[in-house]
Amino acid sequence: MIEEIKKTCEVLQAGGIILYPTDTVWGIGCDATNEEAVKKVYELKRRVDNKAMLVLTDNPAKLNMYVSRIPDIAWDLIEVADKPLTIIYPKAKNLAANLLADDQSVGIRITNETFSKTLCERFRKPIVSTSANISGQPSPSNFNEISEEIKAGVDYVVNFRQEEIIKANPSGIIKLGEGGVVQVIR
């Protein structure tokens, strides 16, 4: 796994896009601070760039680097979550502008899965994580369901956990708004 982390970091540092295992479904990813790399992900997915994508990071302590103000309830949600949870925070910062929603919010998930967590630790920046499919098509639940178009369209396919056939599920999503507003999205 360490060799795969090293190769993947090199691709991310060069502005490339990757296909990688996460704590939920396989994801297409890139450096979440690199607008050109984010643009390549939108193009591969054939997705309009006003539809935001989420990012992964390895540690809740890093949230302050990417969110202007973290609502208190976020810490409680992170602590009690027993499955992957993406929280949409208001007022993102230090991320690629084309990654954010129109209201400048961003979805961030703290990953605890071995590969994606180690990748985030070693890369030292958040990584985009969007499902490995063309926009509008079903999300693949394992590596074997990912289309050849997606596999061929990335700069690097991570050679780790490809043989797993467990049906993975997307994360839960909660949006935290100004003034304590909490909205369950999924």
Side-chain angles (χ1 to χ4, degrees):
M1 181 180 85
I2 297 303
E3 191 59 34
E4 282 301 304
I5 296 285
K6 182 180 175 186
K7 289 179 189 175
T8 306
C9 282
E10 289 170 1
V11 172
L12 292 171
Q13 288 166 343
I17 60 176
I18 60 170
L19 182 60
Y20 70 116
T22 75
D23 54 339
T24 59
V25 297
W26 271 74
I28 299 170
C30 69
D31 176 350
T33 66
N34 181 328
E35 283 194 40
E36 284 303 311
V38 170
K39 182 179 175 188
K40 288 195 266 186
V41 174
Y42 282 121
E43 289 170 354
L44 176 60
K45 287 186 64 82
R46 294 189 219 145
R47 185 173 174 176
V48 292
D49 66 4
N50 66 351
K51 193 170 181 192
M53 294 185 288
L54 69 92
V55 301
L56 293 183
T57 191
D58 59 295
N59 190 321
K62 293 181 179 177
L63 289 173
N64 286 315
M65 295 169 54
Y66 306 108
V67 179
S68 294
R69 192 187 67 75
I70 300 167
D72 290 338
I73 193 167
W75 304 114
D76 296 331
L77 291 169
I78 291 166
E79 187 176 320
V80 301
D82 59 354
K83 61 183 180 179
L85 175 65
T86 300
I87 298 176
I88 301 173
Y89 298 91
K91 298 184 181 172
K93 64 181 182 180
N94 302 321
L95 295 168
N98 56 343
L99 180 64
L100 309 180
D102 290 339
D103 65 0
Q104 301 302 298
S105 64
V106 66
I108 300 176
R109 187 167 72 244
I110 310 300
T111 180
N112 288 311
E113 181 271 332
T114 305
F115 184 86
S116 57
K117 183 176 183 77
T118 305
L119 179 61
C120 288
E121 287 171 354
R122 296 283 172 92
F123 187 57
R124 297 183 178 164
K125 294 181 192 175
I127 299 170
V128 167
S129 183
T130 183
S131 58
N133 62 314
I134 302 297
S135 191
Q137 294 182 359
S139 296
S141 60
N142 60 57
F143 183 79
N144 293 329
E145 294 179 5
I146 299 170
S147 74
E148 290 305 315
E149 182 178 0
I150 293 293
K151 291 175 186 175
V154 299
D155 297 302
Y156 188 68
V157 178
V158 170
N159 188 19
F160 189 72
R161 291 183 43 207
Q162 291 183 6
E163 69 289 338
E164 290 180 4
I165 54 172
I166 298 166
K167 286 275 189 197
N169 294 310
S171 71
I173 301 175
I174 294 178
K175 184 172 185 175
L176 302 179
E178 296 296 330
V181 175
V182 177
Q183 178 184 7
V184 176
I185 309 249
R186 175 174 69 204

